[in-house]
Amino acid sequence: MVIDGFEKLTLLDYPENIACIIFTRGCNLRCPFCQNSTILEFDKKKPGFTEEEIFEYLEKRKNILDGIVITGGEPLLQPDIKEFIKKVKKYNLKVKLDTNGTNYLKLKELIEEKLVDYVAMDIKNIFEKYPLTTGIKDINTENIKKSINLLKKNNVDYEFRTTIIKKHHIFEDIENICKIIGKESKYYLQNFVESENVLEKNIEGYEDEELVNWQEKLKKTYPKLKIRGQ
């Protein structure tokens, strides 16, 4: 595993669990609103954290932590992620995986082997807008559709989420995403927040009140639609 970042404690990133977070290096998308632009390239030579450092920490904190969050970048690009998670499981910890859903087969394998306990999948936009919203002109969305349907089978706890920016999202996009994922899926809207590491400058989110207005319009049909942070 090529691990770029490590946060030793979070009370927010894994619902109802005390966890640590690792950030894997490398991503196959180039979303303009990405907050982790410094770890998009799969550069093994860049200094990072070793697996040994992570497991030493887990050994010390295994009676305090409930789980670990594996995020990125895109963690499912890591060829040895399955072996890494198996080692994590020896500490009796839950595993939350953050993914963009492009590696359907790897996600399916991890779920079927019960190696992940919670999956948070980003839905970048309606499928017609994926090339624009991901920065990949020829992106194939078929695996993303398969990953959505896989999670909807409810064999693992999961959520979907979309980061909202004015440039790429309108209310009708969110309404259509809701129709795709269905009313039984947890779905979070995350308003874009500016930071120094954002991949593209001069983009902005909506006013919080506008997202609340969207939620109000949709909540009767999609009661599990929420705004992250509220």
Side-chain angles (χ1 to χ4, degrees):
M1 289 272 284
V2 182
I3 302 170
D4 190 278
F6 179 40
E7 291 185 14
K8 294 184 175 181
L9 189 67
T10 175
L11 303 177
L12 301 175
D13 293 86
Y14 193 155
E16 300 179 0
N17 287 278
I18 301 169
C20 61
I21 313 175
I22 62 168
F23 296 81
T24 63
R25 190 177 301 155
C27 187
N28 54 342
L29 304 182
R30 291 296 180 271
C31 306
F33 48 84
C34 180
Q35 304 276 357
N36 295 332
S37 62
T38 59
I39 63 173
L40 295 180
E41 300 299 329
F42 195 85
D43 182 3
K44 290 185 177 181
K45 296 180 180 180
K46 180 182 173 184
F49 292 86
T50 65
E51 290 189 15
E52 288 73 23
E53 289 176 286
I54 305 302
F55 292 127
E56 284 177 11
Y57 178 77
L58 295 183
E59 177 64 36
K60 293 177 182 178
R61 295 291 183 268
K62 61 185 178 182
N63 295 322
I64 298 173
L65 297 173
D66 299 312
I68 183 171
V69 177
I70 304 176
T71 189
E74 172 48 51
L76 294 184
L77 291 178
Q78 302 290 325
D80 51 351
I81 187 170
K82 180 178 174 180
E83 289 70 27
F84 179 84
I85 293 176
K86 284 183 175 180
K87 293 176 185 177
V88 170
K89 286 293 185 180
K90 292 180 180 179
Y91 295 94
N92 198 31
L93 294 172
K94 300 175 187 177
V95 174
K96 174 180 179 272
L97 174 71
D98 292 350
T99 181
N100 59 33
T102 54
N103 194 333
Y104 162 72
L105 291 177
K106 180 61 69 174
L107 179 61
K108 183 173 182 285
E109 181 181 9
L110 295 179
I111 291 174
E112 288 181 344
E113 296 190 25
K114 301 187 184 303
L115 291 174
V116 291
D117 302 278
Y118 193 99
V119 177
M121 178 178 161
D122 292 301
I123 299 180
K124 304 297 183 178
N125 211 326
I126 57 173
F127 300 128
E128 293 82 358
K129 286 187 175 180
Y130 252 75
L132 175 71
T133 313
T134 63
I136 307 297
K137 292 182 179 179
D138 58 349
I139 187 169
N140 185 335
T141 59
E142 290 307 307
N143 274 345
I144 296 163
K145 295 174 184 176
K146 289 180 180 179
S147 293
I148 291 172
N149 290 328
L150 174 67
L151 293 178
K152 286 172 63 177
K153 291 179 180 178
N154 215 26
N155 292 324
V156 66
D157 199 5
Y158 71 96
E159 69 178 55
F160 295 116
R161 59 194 188 185
T162 301
T163 299
I164 307 294
I165 62 173
K166 282 186 176 182
K167 186 176 181 179
H168 292 166
H169 301 94
I170 59 176
F171 170 76
E172 287 75 16
D173 296 331
I174 304 307
E175 184 177 30
N176 285 326
I177 291 171
C178 286
K179 291 176 182 177
I180 292 167
I181 65 177
K183 62 183 180 181
E184 298 302 321
S185 297
K186 287 179 286 187
Y187 182 37
Y188 291 92
L189 304 184
Q190 302 176 159
N191 208 2
F192 170 77
V193 178
E194 179 65 71
S195 78
E196 61 179 274
N197 291 326
V198 172
L199 192 60
E200 182 180 313
K201 306 305 179 185
N202 301 317
I203 57 176
E204 58 183 348
Y206 283 87
E207 294 295 326
D208 291 339
E209 292 77 8
E210 187 67 21
L211 295 193
V212 171
N213 184 42
W214 292 5
Q215 182 190 27
E216 287 295 317
K217 291 179 179 178
L218 293 168
K219 71 177 183 180
K220 185 174 290 186
T221 306
Y222 303 100
K224 294 188 177 182
L225 168 66
K226 296 182 179 180
I227 301 170
R228 182 132 274 155
Q230 292 191 1

